[in-house]
Amino acid sequence: MGVLEDKLPDNILFTNVDKFLNWSKKSSLWYMLFATACCGIELMQAGASRYDLDRFGAIFRASPRQSDLMIVAGTITHMMADRVKRLYEQMPSPKYVIAMGSCANTGGPFFKDSYSVLKGVDKIIPVDVYVPGCPPKPEALIEGIMKLQKKVMEEKNLVKK
Amino acid sequence: MEPKQIYEILSGKFNGKIKQFVENTFPPSVIVEPDSVVDVCRFLKTEESMDFKSLICLSGVDLKEQGKMAVVYHLGSMNHKHKIAIKVELDRNNPHVQTVESVWPGANWYEREAYDLLGIIFDGHSDLRRILMPEDWEGHPMRKDYVYPKQYHTWDV
Ligand code: SF4
């Protein structure tokens, strides 16, 4: 929010403006198309007609420049990790990350003795919501997105923290 | 054709270069001297009665106990419906073998994988880079005496 950020007093007008800003943020969580392994199939399914993520305002964008949310769906290898970090840095803030599936949370089935897999995407980028499962069902992902929406609603934009 | 027959034809043609026939592997394998593997492979591909047009798999094996590295070529023929494995054994400390890219172009990526994970050098390969691990990774992770690094770039492994 530029110059006004964290500067305004905590009164009834500005808290309501803040709420309005949060509401518009949470209702248009555009996520980046980013599927690196099997969890990606569930992510696609969550976006398709049966589960229909669009009704939460979450639609996919193919470019990090246009997205607010990165759903890391799948195994991240060391080779990919640098790219993930760069993609995250290319997203304009405010930006959020959901780690979807055991692989993105902790390395999952590859946790022990794997030479190529990054053991959790939180080693390289900050994660807001972890969705467990291998793979998580679309319902679980939707719950993760709703958790994130709750988190977004509690944010403060203009008023002092 | 039976693998045994293929072995006999090969040992007749490449005198002294064919070391051994191993029956109890699947498919049965022929152990070949490393310096003649390209000739043997080209013969197996072009000869009408062999017709091994397809390189099903090419893999490296670390035989640490014997101080060797092996490269195994699994070959198959669609027309004659027969299969065979060709095996070469290399020195573990200095594993070099000629590339078979000129016979089956698809060997390119298989050989890069064997180079990446085991450090087998394929002489004459057109593009011998790592394929699975990052370019600046150290060591070859499928070797039996490989020690995992603690750190890669800014994160721990
Ligand atoms: S968590 Fe399971 S389903 Fe998801 S990417 Fe990893 S292995 Fe695949």
Side-chain angles (χ1 to χ4, degrees):
Chain A
M1 302 295 141
V3 282
L4 287 181
E5 202 162 345
D6 297 343
K7 297 238 168 66
L8 298 176
D10 196 357
N11 65 25
I12 186 149
L13 172 67
F14 291 124
T15 14
N16 276 328
V17 170
D18 244 11
K19 260 198 202 129
F20 172 72
L21 289 174
N22 281 338
W23 172 80
S24 44
K25 263 200 278 179
K26 80 142 205 195
S27 315
S28 63
L29 281 176
W30 292 5
Y31 61 94
M32 188 170 61
L33 266 190
F34 189 67
T36 50
C38 12
C39 273
I41 306 294
E42 297 296 307
L43 173 63
M44 293 166 210
Q45 170 67 351
S49 55
R50 183 166 185 141
Y51 294 96
D52 199 14
L53 266 185
D54 297 14
R55 65 203 154 114
F56 300 98
I59 54 174
F60 61 84
R61 306 306 304 162
S63 153
R65 305 283 185 201
Q66 300 172 348
S67 25
D68 313 293
L69 167 64
M70 182 188 228
I71 302 180
V72 184
T75 321
I76 303 293
T77 57
H78 293 308
M79 210 170 175
M80 194 68 192
D82 281 325
R83 279 82 174 171
V84 174
K85 205 168 161 189
R86 195 177 314 158
L87 284 172
Y88 177 75
E89 281 159 4
Q90 284 179 354
M91 284 163 58
S93 47
K95 50 190 172 185
Y96 306 96
V97 177
I98 291 181
M100 178 184 182
S102 315
C103 283
N105 290 347
T106 63
F110 311 102
F111 180 73
K112 198 163 186 297
D113 283 350
S114 165
Y115 51 84
S116 61
V117 175
L118 179 72
K119 311 288 169 3
V121 74
D122 49 3
K123 284 196 199 299
I124 49 169
I125 53 177
V127 176
D128 294 284
V129 176
Y130 297 84
V131 181
C134 179
K137 293 181 83 175
E139 288 97 320
L141 179 64
I142 290 172
E143 194 191 348
I145 287 182
M146 288 164 80
K147 282 245 161 69
L148 181 64
Q149 290 183 331
K150 238 179 238 157
K151 185 175 168 178
V152 171
M153 277 314 275
E154 278 155 23
E155 267 178 14
K156 292 196 169 149
N157 302 299
L158 298 179
V159 299
K160 288 198 200 85
K161 294 218 167 78
Chain B
M1 209 185 287
E2 289 301 309
K4 185 90 186 168
Q5 275 171 289
I6 297 176
Y7 164 69
E8 272 151 17
I9 294 173
L10 280 182
S11 45
K13 176 134 175 71
F14 297 94
N15 204 2
K17 297 289 186 192
I18 310 294
K19 285 208 282 206
Q20 206 186 336
F21 179 64
V22 187
E23 190 120 42
N24 61 359
T25 57
F26 182 77
S29 48
V30 179
I31 301 183
V32 178
E33 287 285 353
D35 55 355
S36 57
V37 65
V38 181
D39 297 334
V40 172
C41 286
R42 182 159 294 122
F43 171 74
L44 285 174
K45 186 183 175 189
T46 49
E47 173 70 28
E48 198 67 24
S49 59
M50 306 283 182
D51 196 45
F52 285 106
K53 287 257 162 54
S54 128
L55 173 67
I56 300 171
C57 184
L58 187 160
S59 41
V61 187
D62 185 2
L63 305 166
K64 179 160 170 265
E65 294 75 25
Q66 302 160 32
K68 283 179 187 160
M69 285 274 179
V71 181
V72 187
Y73 307 78
H74 283 235
L75 313 179
S77 164
M78 299 286 174
N79 290 334
H80 300 306
K81 310 234 179 329
H82 54 203
K83 282 184 186 167
I84 197 154
I86 304 290
K87 197 169 171 185
V88 292
E89 292 179 339
L90 314 168
D91 176 17
R92 191 166 185 279
N93 298 321
N94 188 21
H96 275 269
V97 68
Q98 279 291 326
T99 171
V100 292
E101 223 189 330
S102 55
V103 187
W104 299 281
N108 188 317
W109 279 20
Y110 286 132
E111 292 182 342
R112 280 175 66 185
E113 185 194 14
Y115 162 71
D116 186 359
L117 299 181
L118 286 160
I120 298 169
I121 313 279
F122 292 88
D123 297 319
H125 193 284
S126 62
D127 184 26
L128 199 61
R129 285 180 293 134
R130 285 181 183 274
I131 188 168
L132 295 171
M133 306 301 289
E135 286 282 286
D136 54 354
W137 192 263
E138 271 171 33
H140 302 284
M142 289 291 254
R143 286 196 180 206
K144 286 185 181 162
D145 51 6
Y146 179 69
V147 187
Y148 291 94
K150 290 264 176 309
Q151 186 109 13
Y152 174 69
H153 286 187
T154 52
W155 56 88
D156 45 326
V157 170

